[in-house]
Amino acid sequence: MSFTLAIVGRPNVGKSTLFNRLVGKRLALVDDQPGVTRDLREGAARLGDLKFTVIDTAGLEMATDESLQGRMRMLTERAVGMADACLFLVDARDGVLPADEIFADILRKKNAHVILGANKAEGKAGEAGMMEAYSLGLGTPIGLSAEHGEGMADLAAELRPLMEAHAETAPAAEPEVEVTLHEEDEEAEHEYVAPSTSKPLQIAVVGRPNAGKSTLINQILGEDRLLTGPEAGITRDAISVVTNWGGVPTRIFDTAGMRKKAKVQEKLEKLSVSDGLRAVKFAEVVVVVLDVDIPFEQQDLRIADLAEREGRAVVIAVNKWDMEGAKQEKLRDLKEQFTRLLPQLKGAPLITVSALTGRGLERLREAILEAHEVWNRRVSTSQLNRWLVGMLEQHPPPAPQGKRIKLRYMTQAKARPPGFVVMCSHPDLLPASYSRYLVNGLREDFDMPGTPIRMFLRSQADANPYKNRKKAAPSKLRKHLDGRKPD
């Protein structure tokens, strides 16, 4: 099992900045505003030749009640108890504050291995704070600058003996598997391969604020891994968690609630929304979570349409179903609204769930796997062309401006989502309504409900490599053979 290091400290001491430096990517949101990080974020860190797992935590607060700050503190203390070592950061420019002394006592009791780091120690401004850090009784502080990368060698020297001791006592680790976030795999020639351990099924859970996204993911994980509560907008950045859901390796992205663009004014919320949009692009299946009390709001429709335009498989999850009284009538209304308001997702699964009780999760899992299978589906060229002949006989294409349009050949160019190329004459004149006729026929005849289908029209001239190529001048020998006078 990988060595785990939890970065803890007061708000705004530079934990997320250091986390980003250790993982080599800007995964965690960073802002001057304190308390940006709320959930636990894990990443694969590398420091020289040392490889380990690092956890970014919420800032330690004085609150111990059930308030948002109190729940954030409990989540951080839980990470401290699970980690093999903790890096306790203080702000060298601010010096040691009373809160630092309280948290130092807590860490001594919670974790046996605590490394003390004095961040923002670059220059003379941090010298006094470095000296004050000795008073915490956690050993010699390491002078760090997460922003500029100073002190990383000292941190590695402190971690090395702890990691070596952990390696001697820990059971043999399984071979490391690299997880790649990919958008498309155009070379896959198989019909469908279920997600394997090398490539977990990637799911993004999106929706408006307070729809129950984090609660739903916690229910899937079977533990309170993500921060939840009655407050809207608790999740601020896209947190990914890896689990084995019903025997299928799965990576789930929890995203911040997406409000209307006009209402998003603060810089931090804009960063949160852009982080969620990036998660949608990396996902294979997007689960759009709706609130049963106010389903299919304008923002819900925009989010679902965004997932379709990005070419992701979409599943609609109507949450808080346990609070609904007239279930049959409500379900009938939901299906009618779905068909009417989101025709581009015709046939996509609509599943009712309760994130609070876990009811409907098995149906949701089956719907996600089925949507993923359809998203990966391939149809042979021979089947497509036999099908195309039947569609043309049933409904021939129009002849705009008296020009007859011939659809000669069809093949599937890609999957994830399914994309088809039709070779035809005058592709620019074929009406959009006829393209929709073909797409709807593909959905129905090849059982591809809900998934985005892309259709590209190409002319035979486009496939001709000699099109627009200038005719080469005749050679002297050619002129001589033709009886012409050479130049």
Side-chain angles (χ1 to χ4, degrees), residues 258-276:
M258 300 179 185
R259 298 195 299 164
K260 291 181 180 179
K261 190 173 181 180
K263 293 184 178 181
V264 179
Q265 301 294 335
E266 295 183 6
K267 172 190 171 185
L268 183 56
E269 187 173 359
K270 289 180 180 178
L271 291 173
S272 300
V273 172
S274 65
D275 207 28

Side-chain angles (χ1 to χ4, degrees), residues 202-208 213 216-217 220 245 252-253 255 280 283-290 303-304 307 312-318 349 351 353 364-365 367-369 371:
Q202 311 213 55
I203 303 171
V205 180
V206 300
R208 287 183 291 109
K213 300 180 294 296
L216 179 64
I217 296 175
I220 293 171
W245 190 12
I252 307 177
F253 292 86
T255 62
V280 169
E284 296 169 318
V285 182
V286 175
V287 178
V288 182
V289 181
L290 310 182
I303 294 170
R312 308 301 105 180
V314 178
V315 175
I316 306 295
V318 183
I351 309 297
V353 298
L364 177 62
R365 186 182 74 86
I368 289 172
L369 290 177

Side-chain angles (χ1 to χ4, degrees), residues 471-486:
K471 187 176 181 180
S475 65
K476 291 183 179 180
L477 177 60
R478 183 70 180 173
K479 289 181 178 180
H480 176 73
L481 294 174
D482 290 344
R484 287 177 287 170
K485 185 178 179 181

Side-chain angles (χ1 to χ4, degrees), residues 185-338:
D185 184 3
E186 298 190 6
E187 298 180 357
E189 294 296 337
H190 50 74
E191 287 298 314
Y192 172 68
V193 176
S196 65
T197 54
S198 61
K199 283 188 178 181
L201 171 60
Q202 311 213 55
I203 303 171
V205 180
V206 300
R208 287 183 291 109
N210 218 27
K213 300 180 294 296
S214 299
T215 306
L216 179 64
I217 296 175
N218 281 342
Q219 191 67 245
I220 293 171
L221 299 176
E223 60 175 334
D224 292 335
R225 171 67 173 74
L226 301 171
L227 192 65
T228 61
E231 303 90 348
I234 291 180
T235 303
R236 279 182 167 164
D237 49 358
I239 303 294
S240 72
V241 290
V242 178
T243 186
N244 191 298
W245 190 12
V248 178
T250 307
R251 180 181 292 269
I252 307 177
F253 292 86
D254 183 25
T255 62
M258 300 179 185
R259 298 195 299 164
K260 291 181 180 179
K261 190 173 181 180
K263 293 184 178 181
V264 179
Q265 301 294 335
E266 295 183 6
K267 172 190 171 185
L268 183 56
E269 187 173 359
K270 289 180 180 178
L271 291 173
S272 300
V273 172
S274 65
D275 207 28
L277 297 178
R278 189 165 63 250
V280 169
K281 293 180 180 180
F282 283 135
E284 296 169 318
V285 182
V286 175
V287 178
V288 182
V289 181
L290 310 182
D291 189 325
V292 69
D293 293 329
I294 43 174
F296 296 110
E297 291 282 295
Q298 196 64 36
Q299 187 64 1
D300 294 325
L301 303 180
R302 290 195 183 100
I303 294 170
D305 183 63
L306 166 71
E308 193 276 337
R309 283 187 283 110
E310 288 294 338
R312 308 301 105 180
V314 178
V315 175
I316 306 295
V318 183
N319 191 26
K320 306 179 184 179
W321 192 245
D322 55 306
M323 301 172 62
E324 178 60 38
K327 288 182 168 53
Q328 293 299 325
E329 183 180 347
K330 185 70 173 183
L331 183 60
R332 188 167 53 251
D333 292 343
L334 288 171
K335 290 181 177 179
E336 185 275 328
Q337 291 181 66
F338 183 30

Side-chain angles (χ1 to χ4, degrees), residues 138-198:
L138 294 174
T140 303
I142 302 172
L144 299 171
S145 173
E147 187 173 356
H148 302 289
E150 297 178 10
M152 295 299 111
D154 295 332
L155 177 58
E158 196 74 24
L159 282 174
R160 189 177 301 278
L162 296 178
M163 293 182 65
E164 290 174 352
H166 175 267
E168 293 175 0
T169 58
E174 297 180 2
E176 185 175 341
V177 175
E178 178 148 1
V179 177
T180 305
L181 293 181
H182 58 282
E183 292 194 38
E184 295 173 341
D185 184 3
E186 298 190 6
E187 298 180 357
E189 294 296 337
H190 50 74
E191 287 298 314
Y192 172 68
V193 176
S196 65
T197 54
S198 61

